[in-house]
Amino acid sequence: KKKFKGDTSPCSPSRVLRLRQIPSDVTEAEVISLGLPFGKVTNVLIVKRKSQAFLEMASEEAAISMVNYYTSTTPYLRSQPVHIQYSIHRELKTDNLPNQARVQAALEALNAKQSESLAVTSSSAPEGGLLPGQGSVLRIIVENLFYPVTLEVLYQIFSEFGSVLKIITFTKYNQFQVLLQYADPRNAYYAKMALDGKSIYAACCTLRIDFSKLTNLNVKYNNDKSRDFTRFDLPSGEGQPPLEPCVATVFGTQNVVFPSYAGVTGFAPVMSFAQGAGLPVPAVPGPLVSLTVTTSSTSGQITVPGVTGVPGNSVLLVSNLNPEAITPHGLFILFGVYGDVHRVKIMFKKKESALVQMADATQAQLAISHLNGQRLYGRVLRATLSKYQTVQLPREGQENEGLTKDYSNSPLHRFKNSGSKNLQNVFPPSATLHLSNIPPSVSVDDLKNLFASTGSVVKAFRFFQKDCKMALIQLGSVEEAVHALIELHNHDLGENHHLRVSFSKSTI
């Protein structure tokens, strides 16, 4: 049996892929299903003692597509994130292994299932040529509608699987229903496989999905009930606010995909896009596109397509704070990672709670999605939308103790400049921090000591090869990294250089 080298990370593509940190009880079928959307899988090998697996694709092109896609979207097996890279092996030689019969059976069953589901038969269906009943239009019923599900929310969720052309929402038989049309029937198939039976929020807003008999949706109005993303000249209908021009512009941008949808009004969705029920089918758009956040050319604010221009609250209620440690400045720096914070108010009589006013509703949703449930100073932070529309500043002489601060003109706003690179680098809190604006005189030890002084354990550090003004530093935990970011973002390193700190998606 061949020995597999430890952590060699080859740069050259291979049709054999190495999956690391897989769950101990994972099956061959589950590993195979990660590769299926990209092409035929020809072999698989699980090495349980090393918590890794090897997946052989039929072609190098399929393997490249798979690696490219999972670079920006973390794949999951049994709710556990796994890492995928090219193997140093060009093919898998597993002929003599006793489990090969089981592997071949799983391969044949899954490859056959995929071929059947995506079979194109010129004789059966005139529209698109797919099997009867599997077109590009889905009918969705949302059961147990405890929170409102907007057209924008639906667009975000279903765009994870490919280009959504049209959406119509309506209520029939006291049920909230949706008709949704994709550009490609394969996108509809993957969306149905991955999302049917899933809940948008914990224990409510459950999706029941089947294929509609309709082959094309006729949308008459672009408003909050229906939308045709291929036409921006449609009227809004009586009593409906027209779409703002910037919404039309963003929706008109081809291949724009959202950051992974993470819930509205502060309720973290339980949906995991990278796994389905039983045999997981990854959430793979037909044309594999990169995840990007675009910016509004006028304001420079974060623009999530489909949410911009929709009226919403930009004030957050942040609760379960540690009153001994939290300050308005600390909340300003932390929430400022996800948008421009205008005002912060720690409640005078209840210092465990605070109001944070963001620049707009989209940034407020982004902050909720990334910070709700994070640990901060020993407590689990809760973030949701507030009932208040604005944070009032105290009147002169009013008892306040500096608990309310106005940051609307702060030079530390990360997103005020249109086209800022910060917009492409918004990631959830992680133990690895990205550092930038480092002067040449500051050494590795200087930075390690600086972060150790905040109580952090420095596990790893490296400068960027091409640019020694930037570095990655890995701390002992996500919570340590959150504390260090609050303390050290904008820290004066001398030579007129202030340290820039943000969360990284990379590990060292």
Side-chain angles (χ1 to χ4, degrees):
K1 193 163 84 172
K2 285 191 177 182
K3 281 196 171 180
F4 295 101
K5 292 182 183 175
D7 276 320
T8 310
S9 181
C11 294
S12 62
S14 163
R15 65 191 184 96
V16 180
L17 302 173
R18 179 170 170 241
L19 287 68
R20 293 184 296 122
Q21 296 178 352
I22 64 167
S24 58
D25 53 352
V26 78
T27 65
E28 283 91 358
E30 287 170 310
V31 175
I32 292 165
S33 67
L34 279 182
L36 274 183
F38 303 92
K40 190 175 179 184
V41 178
T42 48
N43 211 341
V44 65
L45 170 65
I46 295 177
V47 187
K48 289 197 173 177
R49 61 191 170 81
K50 289 192 174 181
S51 300
Q52 61 186 23
F54 293 85
L55 188 70
E56 182 186 270
M57 303 299 289
S59 69
E60 200 172 279
E61 290 75 17
I64 292 169
S65 294
M66 185 171 170
V67 169
N68 288 348
Y69 180 71
Y70 286 131
T71 299
S72 56
T73 302
T74 304
Y76 287 80
L77 285 171
R78 302 203 172 202
S79 302
Q80 187 171 313
V82 295
H83 299 276
I84 296 180
Q85 61 190 163
Y86 297 117
S87 168
I88 53 174
H89 303 286
R90 294 290 161 228
E91 61 179 319
L92 275 184
K93 293 180 179 172
T94 53
D95 304 341
N96 303 327
L97 294 177
N99 71 341
Q100 194 56 20
R102 187 174 78 242
V103 168
Q104 284 307 320
L107 278 169
E108 285 170 22
L110 281 160
N111 280 322
K113 184 179 176 184
Q114 189 200 31
S115 301
E116 178 189 311
S117 301
L118 300 180
V120 175
T121 55
S122 56
S123 58
S124 60
E127 287 261 342
L130 254 83
L131 289 176
Q134 292 197 358
S136 57
V137 180
L138 296 176
R139 186 179 73 121
I140 304 144
I141 294 173
V142 185
E143 294 179 347
N144 194 10
L145 194 70
F146 194 71
Y147 303 113
V149 175
T150 64
L151 189 142
E152 283 73 27
V153 167
L154 291 162
Y155 184 90
Q156 281 186 303
I157 293 171
F158 284 86
S159 285
E160 291 279 338
F161 300 85
S163 182
V164 175
L165 301 185
K166 302 170 187 178
I167 303 177
I168 299 172
T169 65
F170 56 99
T171 302
K172 188 175 180 181
Y173 308 128
N174 286 331
Q175 289 178 317
F176 181 74
Q177 300 194 25
V178 183
L179 290 170
L180 184 144
Q181 183 176 345
Y182 277 103
D184 188 327
R186 285 175 298 181
N187 303 145
Y189 168 75
Y190 287 129
K192 181 186 185 305
M193 287 288 286
L195 297 180
D196 187 25
K198 291 283 190 294
S199 296
I200 300 175
Y201 306 111
C204 69
C205 300
T206 304
L207 302 173
R208 302 290 175 209
I209 305 173
D210 56 28
F211 290 95
S212 169
K213 294 186 177 73
L214 298 169
T215 55
N216 185 48
L217 297 182
N218 181 19
V219 177
K220 295 177 181 175
Y221 303 111
N222 276 344
N223 54 38
D224 62 358
K225 299 283 190 294
S226 62
R227 199 79 53 88
D228 183 337
F229 301 107
T230 65
R231 291 186 59 189
F232 303 112
D233 56 333
L234 292 178
S236 57
E238 285 184 13
Q240 291 285 353
L243 277 180
E244 292 192 8
C246 61
V247 181
T249 306
V250 172
F251 273 133
T253 307
Q254 291 302 308
N255 289 349
V256 173
V257 179
F258 304 76
S260 290
Y261 174 69
V264 290
T265 59
F267 299 94
V270 293
M271 199 175 279
S272 173
F273 289 125
Q275 62 196 74
L279 293 177
V281 174
V284 179
L288 298 170
V289 291
S290 59
L291 299 179
T292 58
V293 177
T294 59
T295 64
S296 161
S297 56
T298 50
S299 66
Q301 294 167 348
I302 298 172
T303 304
V304 181
V307 179
T308 312
V310 177
N313 195 356
S314 61
V315 179
L316 305 174
L317 171 64
V318 186
S319 54
N320 202 35
L321 297 167
N322 182 336
E324 304 298 318
I326 201 63
T327 63
H329 177 76
L331 290 171
F332 165 69
I333 294 296
L334 179 58
F335 280 78
V337 173
Y338 301 106
D340 292 337
V341 176
H342 284 193
R343 291 177 181 178
V344 177
K345 179 188 187 81
I346 294 177
M347 303 300 194
F348 181 70
K349 291 184 178 174
K350 193 183 179 189
K351 293 186 171 64
E352 292 86 7
S353 298
L355 296 174
V356 177
Q357 184 174 336
M358 308 295 288
D360 61 36
T362 304
Q363 295 183 10
Q365 297 290 3
L366 201 60
I368 285 173
S369 69
H370 287 310
L371 294 177
N372 183 44
Q374 293 292 339
R375 289 187 68 82
L376 178 64
Y377 302 123
R379 295 194 179 187
V380 176
L381 177 151
R382 294 286 169 228
T384 182
L385 288 176
S386 166
K387 63 183 179 183
Y388 299 105
Q389 297 294 315
T390 184
V391 171
Q392 295 293 331
L393 293 175
R395 294 189 296 276
E396 276 191 51
Q398 197 175 358
E399 191 177 20
N400 177 43
E401 298 180 358
L403 295 177
T404 304
K405 297 276 186 184
D406 183 22
Y407 296 101
S408 49
N409 294 314
S410 171
L412 296 187
H413 286 166
R414 295 177 187 243
F415 305 107
K416 61 181 184 290
N417 297 326
S418 176
S420 164
K421 281 189 178 176
N422 293 334
L423 291 156
Q424 283 101 53
N425 294 296
V426 176
F427 303 112
S430 62
T432 305
L433 295 171
H434 180 277
L435 313 179
S436 60
N437 205 32
I438 302 167
S441 59
V442 172
S443 69
V444 172
D445 287 341
D446 293 334
L447 288 164
K448 283 184 175 179
N449 292 336
L450 178 64
F451 278 82
S453 72
T454 69
S456 300
V457 176
V458 178
K459 288 194 160 183
F461 182 95
R462 73 172 167 85
F463 275 110
F464 279 55
Q465 284 179 329
K466 293 179 182 175
D467 187 357
C468 285
K469 295 176 187 172
M470 295 197 287
L472 292 177
I473 189 165
Q474 188 178 338
L475 304 182
S477 67
V478 175
E479 188 177 6
E480 282 183 18
V482 170
H483 298 167
L485 180 138
I486 289 172
E487 281 196 50
L488 296 177
H489 179 64
N490 201 47
H491 180 82
D492 190 350
L493 293 173
E495 299 177 44
N496 204 21
H497 281 66
H498 286 77
L499 184 65
R500 298 278 172 265
V501 186
S502 56
F503 297 114
S504 172
K505 68 172 179 180
S506 307
T507 52
I508 303 174

